[in-house]
Short mmCIF file of all heavy atoms in Angstrom, two decimals:
data_model
loop_
_atom_site.label_atom_id
_atom_site.label_comp_id
_atom_site.label_asym_id
_atom_site.label_seq_id
_atom_site.Cartn_x
_atom_site.Cartn_y
_atom_site.Cartn_z
N TYR A 1475 1.87 1.27 0.91
CA TYR A 1475 2.76 2.43 0.98
C TYR A 1475 3.56 2.60 -0.32
O TYR A 1475 3.85 3.73 -0.74
CB TYR A 1475 3.72 2.29 2.17
CG TYR A 1475 3.03 2.41 3.50
CD1 TYR A 1475 2.85 1.30 4.31
CD2 TYR A 1475 2.53 3.63 3.93
CE1 TYR A 1475 2.21 1.39 5.52
CE2 TYR A 1475 1.89 3.75 5.16
CZ TYR A 1475 1.71 2.63 5.95
OH TYR A 1475 1.08 2.75 7.15
N ILE A 1476 3.88 1.46 -0.92
CA ILE A 1476 4.64 1.52 -2.18
C ILE A 1476 3.80 2.17 -3.28
O ILE A 1476 4.28 3.00 -4.07
CB ILE A 1476 5.09 0.10 -2.61
CG1 ILE A 1476 6.07 -0.46 -1.60
CG2 ILE A 1476 5.70 0.14 -4.01
CD1 ILE A 1476 6.51 -1.89 -1.88
N VAL A 1477 2.51 1.81 -3.34
CA VAL A 1477 1.61 2.39 -4.34
C VAL A 1477 1.48 3.90 -4.15
O VAL A 1477 1.55 4.68 -5.10
CB VAL A 1477 0.22 1.71 -4.28
CG1 VAL A 1477 -0.75 2.44 -5.20
CG2 VAL A 1477 0.32 0.25 -4.64
N ILE A 1478 1.29 4.31 -2.88
CA ILE A 1478 1.16 5.74 -2.58
C ILE A 1478 2.44 6.47 -2.96
O ILE A 1478 2.42 7.55 -3.55
CB ILE A 1478 0.84 5.95 -1.09
CG1 ILE A 1478 -0.55 5.38 -0.77
CG2 ILE A 1478 0.91 7.44 -0.73
CD1 ILE A 1478 -0.90 5.43 0.70
N PHE A 1479 3.58 5.84 -2.63
CA PHE A 1479 4.88 6.45 -2.96
C PHE A 1479 5.04 6.62 -4.47
O PHE A 1479 5.50 7.67 -4.96
CB PHE A 1479 6.00 5.56 -2.41
CG PHE A 1479 7.37 6.02 -2.79
CD1 PHE A 1479 7.95 7.13 -2.17
CD2 PHE A 1479 8.08 5.37 -3.79
CE1 PHE A 1479 9.22 7.56 -2.53
CE2 PHE A 1479 9.35 5.80 -4.15
CZ PHE A 1479 9.92 6.89 -3.51
N LEU A 1480 4.65 5.59 -5.24
CA LEU A 1480 4.76 5.67 -6.70
C LEU A 1480 3.86 6.74 -7.28
O LEU A 1480 4.23 7.45 -8.23
CB LEU A 1480 4.44 4.30 -7.31
CG LEU A 1480 5.45 3.19 -7.07
CD1 LEU A 1480 4.94 1.86 -7.62
CD2 LEU A 1480 6.80 3.53 -7.69
N ILE A 1481 2.65 6.86 -6.70
CA ILE A 1481 1.72 7.90 -7.17
C ILE A 1481 2.30 9.28 -6.91
O ILE A 1481 2.26 10.17 -7.77
CB ILE A 1481 0.35 7.75 -6.48
CG1 ILE A 1481 -0.34 6.47 -6.95
CG2 ILE A 1481 -0.53 8.96 -6.76
CD1 ILE A 1481 -1.63 6.17 -6.22
N ILE A 1482 2.86 9.48 -5.72
CA ILE A 1482 3.48 10.76 -5.37
C ILE A 1482 4.65 11.06 -6.30
O ILE A 1482 4.82 12.19 -6.78
CB ILE A 1482 3.93 10.76 -3.90
CG1 ILE A 1482 2.71 10.70 -2.97
CG2 ILE A 1482 4.77 12.00 -3.60
CD1 ILE A 1482 3.07 10.53 -1.50
N MET A 1483 5.45 10.03 -6.57
CA MET A 1483 6.59 10.20 -7.48
C MET A 1483 6.12 10.58 -8.88
O MET A 1483 6.70 11.47 -9.53
CB MET A 1483 7.39 8.91 -7.55
CG MET A 1483 8.20 8.61 -6.29
SD MET A 1483 9.60 9.73 -6.11
CE MET A 1483 10.62 9.21 -7.49
N PHE A 1484 5.06 9.94 -9.32
CA PHE A 1484 4.52 10.23 -10.67
C PHE A 1484 4.01 11.66 -10.74
O PHE A 1484 4.30 12.40 -11.69
CB PHE A 1484 3.40 9.25 -11.01
CG PHE A 1484 2.72 9.55 -12.32
CD1 PHE A 1484 3.30 9.20 -13.52
CD2 PHE A 1484 1.50 10.23 -12.35
CE1 PHE A 1484 2.69 9.48 -14.73
CE2 PHE A 1484 0.88 10.53 -13.55
CZ PHE A 1484 1.48 10.15 -14.74
N ILE A 1485 3.25 12.06 -9.70
CA ILE A 1485 2.71 13.43 -9.68
C ILE A 1485 3.84 14.45 -9.62
O ILE A 1485 3.83 15.47 -10.30
CB ILE A 1485 1.75 13.61 -8.49
CG1 ILE A 1485 0.50 12.76 -8.69
CG2 ILE A 1485 1.36 15.09 -8.34
CD1 ILE A 1485 -0.44 12.77 -7.50
N GLY A 1486 4.85 14.13 -8.81
CA GLY A 1486 5.99 15.03 -8.70
C GLY A 1486 6.72 15.19 -10.02
O GLY A 1486 7.10 16.30 -10.41
N PHE A 1487 6.95 14.07 -10.69
CA PHE A 1487 7.62 14.13 -12.00
C PHE A 1487 6.78 14.90 -13.01
O PHE A 1487 7.30 15.69 -13.80
CB PHE A 1487 7.90 12.71 -12.50
CG PHE A 1487 8.51 12.68 -13.88
CD1 PHE A 1487 9.85 12.94 -14.07
CD2 PHE A 1487 7.72 12.38 -15.00
CE1 PHE A 1487 10.41 12.94 -15.34
CE2 PHE A 1487 8.27 12.38 -16.26
CZ PHE A 1487 9.63 12.64 -16.43
N TYR A 1488 5.46 14.65 -12.98
CA TYR A 1488 4.55 15.34 -13.91
C TYR A 1488 4.61 16.85 -13.71
O TYR A 1488 4.72 17.61 -14.68
CB TYR A 1488 3.13 14.83 -13.70
CG TYR A 1488 2.08 15.59 -14.48
CD1 TYR A 1488 1.84 15.30 -15.83
CD2 TYR A 1488 1.34 16.60 -13.89
CE1 TYR A 1488 0.89 15.99 -16.55
CE2 TYR A 1488 0.39 17.32 -14.62
CZ TYR A 1488 0.17 17.01 -15.94
OH TYR A 1488 -0.76 17.71 -16.65
#
Side-chain angles (χ1 to χ4, degrees):
Y1475 291 108
I1476 295 177
V1477 173
I1478 294 175
F1479 175 75
L1480 290 175
I1481 292 174
I1482 293 173
M1483 288 289 292
F1484 175 79
I1485 293 175
F1487 176 78
Y1488 173 81

